[in-house]
Amino acid sequence: RYLASSSTDSTIKIWEVKSGQCVQTLRGHNACVWSVVFTANSDRLFSGGEDNCIRYWDIQAGECLRVFTGHSQWIMAIALSPDGNQIASASMDGSVKLWCARTGNCLHTLSGHTAPVVSVAFSPDGSIVASGSYDLTVRLWETRTGTCTQVFKKHTNRVWSVKFHPSGTFLASGGDDNTTQFWNPRTGD
């Protein structure tokens, strides 16, 4: 029904798919917006960007309902857990944060990357979050405890993207080394 686009002009535009028309412009960030994700029913949206915060929006009303703060540098990517209860954010400060989507409270700060983190993805069951970083690694984290369970090191340049297969049996990562790597999240192979 809707698509969202983020922009360097600090806005988010909501587009109706059927007509191709912009139906709402969300204003509230004060810098470039890098990432947006809809809730399951598409009436709410999370966004993150260069003002170091996540915003939670009512897209019909065009209102920001909540602001999540805690990162010290730009938020490059956000992901919503499959059950809609958690948000993961990847930041140029080198950390990943897990947030309660309902309250905005930070549940865990995931530290271990040694360079900016630019991609995050939840496993289909929501028990694992993957992160990709400029430090050439992909890390897997337990969402319940915030513990790092795997570190994958095959990329020879920055990792820009991580994504789980819908079955959860493998994870793909892409990087500046012009490769896509495939990982078994259980074994690390």
Side-chain angles (χ1 to χ4, degrees):
R1 188 175 125 145
Y2 295 115
L3 290 174
S5 61
S6 57
S7 176
T8 58
D9 70 1
S10 75
T11 66
I12 300 147
K13 295 209 181 276
I14 307 300
W15 305 88
E16 186 179 59
V17 173
K18 194 172 194 174
S19 69
Q21 297 296 308
C22 179
V23 295
Q24 185 68 266
T25 300
L26 305 176
R27 292 178 172 84
H29 284 282
N30 60 25
C32 177
V33 182
W34 282 102
S35 188
V36 292
V37 62
F38 280 104
T39 58
N41 60 8
S42 298
D43 66 344
R44 304 285 167 95
L45 178 100
F46 293 91
S47 60
E50 290 184 9
D51 56 1
N52 310 343
C53 69
I54 296 170
R55 292 183 179 272
Y56 178 52
W57 302 90
D58 177 325
I59 63 170
Q60 295 298 324
E63 295 178 6
C64 180
L65 303 174
R66 188 172 298 111
V67 179
F68 304 18
T69 59
H71 282 292
S72 62
Q73 292 184 34
W74 301 354
I75 295 172
M76 298 300 292
I78 56 175
L80 182 63
S81 64
D83 64 7
N85 291 329
Q86 291 185 342
I87 290 283
S89 56
S91 175
M92 295 297 278
D93 66 15
S95 74
V96 174
K97 290 188 182 286
L98 294 178
W99 309 84
C100 175
R102 187 177 52 79
T103 65
N105 293 335
C106 182
L107 303 172
H108 299 289
T109 298
L110 312 179
S111 300
H113 284 291
T114 58
V117 186
V118 294
S119 185
V120 287
F122 280 94
S123 62
D125 67 1
S127 66
I128 300 288
V129 69
S131 57
S133 171
Y134 284 7
D135 69 5
L136 319 185
T137 69
V138 173
R139 290 179 180 263
L140 300 185
W141 312 85
E142 286 185 356
T143 56
R144 189 177 51 79
T145 64
T147 303
C148 182
T149 61
Q150 297 273 1
V151 180
F152 302 140
K153 301 179 180 180
K154 285 187 185 172
H155 285 284
T156 59
N157 208 328
R158 296 179 290 197
V159 178
W160 280 99
S161 182
V162 292
K163 183 73 175 170
F164 280 92
H165 185 270
S167 69
T169 56
F170 69 89
L171 169 77
S173 60
D176 271 347
D177 56 4
N178 298 317
T179 69
T180 301
Q181 301 290 338
F182 296 94
W183 315 93
N184 180 323
R186 289 183 195 88
T187 65
D189 297 332

